[in-house]
Amino acid sequence: MSLLNDLTGAPPGLTGRALLSRLAAIGAVLAGAAGTFAYAGGWLSPGALTPARVVDRFEEVNGPHPGFRRNHAKGLCVVGSFAASGAGARLSRAGVFADGRVTPVEGRVALAGGQPYAADAGTTVRSLALRFRLPDGEEWRTGMNDIPVFPVRTPEALTEQLLAARPDPATGQPDPGRLHAFFAAHPESAAAAALIKARAITSGFADSTYWSLNAFRFVASDGRATPVRFAYLPDRPAAPEHGAPEAGADKNFLFDDLAAALRRDTLRWHLVVTLGWPGDPTDDATKPWPADRETVDAGTLTLTGAAPEAAGNCRDINFDPLVLPDGIAPSDDPLLSARSAAYSQSFTRRAGEEKSPSAVTGTPHHGAAL
Ligand code: HEM
C-alpha cells in the first residue's frame, strides 16, 4: 500500500480521481475541524490554545516517545467485523446499519496515557478504537473509553488537567494542592471524577464496556436527526478486576490476556445506541444522560484476532472521531473538533518519526524488564 493510501485510509485499489476526491473530502473534514477548534480555542489570539499546544502538553507531561501516539500510546491491533441488526436503520441511513450488512472492522485496544512502556494496571482507562470500511469507500472511525463520562468539558480544561494530574517525580503522585485547585475551578470535572472513580472495573479488555462519551447525531433517510451516545457492551459476563499484579508478573497482562482470549475464540460486543431527549446535554461529555433513555441494539461487533502494532496496520491509522459516513454527524460537543485537530497533530508528528517496537507483543514475558 502506498504512503498516500496509508495516510488517507484509502483501499489499495483506489487510485486517480477516486483517491483525489477522497483526499479532498478528508481535507475538508480536517480543515473544518481545525477551523472549529481555532474558533473554540481562540487560535487567532496570542497565547491561546492550538492543536500543537495541546499535543505539546501531552509531550511535556509524558516525556518524548518518538513514533508513538501522544495519548493512548500503549496498544494492540485487533480485527473483526460488525453485523448490523437492522434496528439502527430507522435512526441512521449509514450503510453500516442496513439490515444484514456485515462490515469489516480494524481496531486498536489501548490504555490511556502517553507512556508506551508503562506496566498495565487495572485502573488505567481502557480504550477501543474502530475503523469501519463501508462498501462505497466511506469510513466510520470512532474511539471509545471504558468510563461512563469524560473528566473534562473543554480542550482548555483537558490541558489544565494534564498539568494538575502530572505525578511529582519525588512522590510519584500528583501535587494535591494543584489537583484541588483544578477541581475547585472545574466543578463539572469533580462530579465526573466521582462517577469515574465509582465505576466497576472489570478483569480486562474482553469484558469491558466502551462508551462514546461524546454525543453524535444519527440522521435518517428522511433527514430526521436524533442526538445519540453509544456504547459497546460485552457479551462476556463481567468478572472483577484481579487487583495489582505481583512483582515479576507480566507487565502487559491486560493486552496479553486479550490476545490469548482471541487465540482461543472470537469476542463479541453489542452496539447499544442511547437516544437523547431535547435538553439532554450534547455539548458536555462530563454529564451523564438520565438512565431511562430508550436504547437500540444496532448490531454485533465480533473481534476475531489481534496483532502487535506494525507498519500498515492500526499503528498507522488516525482514529479521528470526525471521519463519519453519511448518516452520522457531529454534535455541538466542543471536544469533537478539538479531538480531531489534536489527533491529526499527534498523527503528523508520529508519522514523521522513527518507530520503536511496541512493548505489546500479545505473548506474555513474565518478569521481563521494560
Ligand atoms: C480535548 C479532548 C481530547 C484530546 C486533546 C485527546 C487527545 C488524544 C490524542 C493526542 C490521542 C492520540 C491520537 C493519535 O496519535 O492517533 C488520543 C487518542 C485517543 N483518544 Fe483522545 N483526546 C481527547 C478526548 C477524548 C475523548 C472524549 C475520548 C472518548 C472516548 C477519547 C478517546 C481516545 C481514544 C480511544 C484514543 C486512542 C485511539 C487509538 O487507539 O488510536 N479522547 N487522544
Side-chain angles (χ1 to χ4, degrees):
M1 189 182 277
S2 74
L3 178 64
L4 209 55
N5 288 105
D6 285 341
L7 288 173
T8 58
L14 196 56
T15 51
R17 279 183 62 158
L19 186 52
L20 280 177
S21 75
R22 166 77 64 93
L23 278 170
I26 290 175
V29 168
L30 292 180
T36 322
F37 188 75
Y39 173 75
W43 199 345
L44 300 175
S45 342
L49 197 59
T50 64
R53 288 197 185 116
V54 172
V55 174
D56 288 347
R57 180 57 58 85
F58 279 105
E59 292 178 359
E60 185 187 341
V61 300
N62 293 300
H65 297 288
F68 289 97
R69 282 165 169 78
R70 276 20 181 199
N71 194 11
H72 297 249
K74 191 179 184 187
L76 176 71
C77 298
V78 291
V79 287
S81 62
F82 177 77
S85 66
R90 78 176 163 89
L91 299 167
S92 167
R93 61 186 178 229
V96 68
F97 297 125
D99 196 4
R101 177 76 60 85
V102 177
T103 304
V105 171
E106 299 148 277
R108 182 172 179 270
V109 292
L111 291 176
Q115 305 278 353
Y117 301 112
D120 292 1
T123 47
T124 309
V125 170
R126 301 167 196 163
S127 63
L128 172 68
L130 301 172
R131 166 160 82 166
F132 300 73
R133 292 197 195 232
L134 282 67
D136 47 12
E138 283 186 305
E139 291 192 8
W140 180 18
R141 301 190 196 182
T142 181
M144 295 146 295
N145 288 340
D146 76 332
I147 45 177
V149 287
F150 199 63
V152 294
R153 192 179 66 79
T154 63
E156 289 80 2
L158 183 98
T159 54
E160 290 171 36
Q161 188 223 22
L162 282 171
L163 260 198
R166 177 188 201 168
D168 179 334
T171 62
Q173 297 297 321
D175 175 340
R178 279 181 124 172
L179 265 187
H180 183 79
F182 171 78
F183 285 125
H186 294 281
E188 74 284 3
S189 292
L195 292 174
I196 293 167
K197 203 168 165 211
R199 80 192 192 278
I201 299 176
T202 63
S203 66
F205 284 109
D207 59 357
S208 289
T209 296
Y210 301 96
W211 308 87
S212 73
L213 305 180
N214 298 127
F216 291 83
R217 288 181 308 126
F218 276 11
V219 184
S221 314
D222 62 3
R224 194 174 34 91
T226 310
V228 298
R229 285 175 174 176
F230 53 83
Y232 283 81
L233 271 58
D235 258 6
R236 189 174 268 218
E241 189 198 353
H242 303 308
E246 289 162 17
D250 174 17
K251 293 194 166 137
N252 307 318
F253 71 100
L254 286 171
F255 292 101
D256 292 341
D257 282 0
L258 178 73
L262 284 169
R263 280 194 289 271
R264 286 192 298 272
D265 205 352
T266 58
L267 291 168
R268 273 182 289 281
W269 282 260
H270 285 265
L271 170 53
V272 176
V273 181
T274 301
L275 282 51
W277 283 12
D280 288 345
T282 53
D283 61 353
D284 187 349
T286 66
K287 295 207 166 37
W289 284 356
D292 63 354
R293 294 297 181 253
E294 183 187 349
T295 58
V296 170
D297 182 342
T300 308
L301 170 74
T302 303
L303 294 187
T304 53
E309 291 181 297
N313 69 10
C314 80
R315 189 193 74 179
D316 299 330
I317 301 176
N318 171 6
F319 290 96
D320 176 339
L322 288 184
V323 174
L324 299 166
D326 179 48
I328 306 179
S331 68
D332 55 352
D333 188 333
L335 293 182
L336 279 173
S337 51
R339 287 178 70 186
S340 182
Y343 293 16
S344 168
Q345 179 69 216
S346 171
F347 180 84
T348 305
R349 290 186 190 186
R350 63 187 173 87
E353 295 164 346
E354 199 173 324
K355 303 288 186 294
S356 309
S358 168
V360 182
T361 61
T363 318
H365 294 283
H366 289 274
L370 286 176

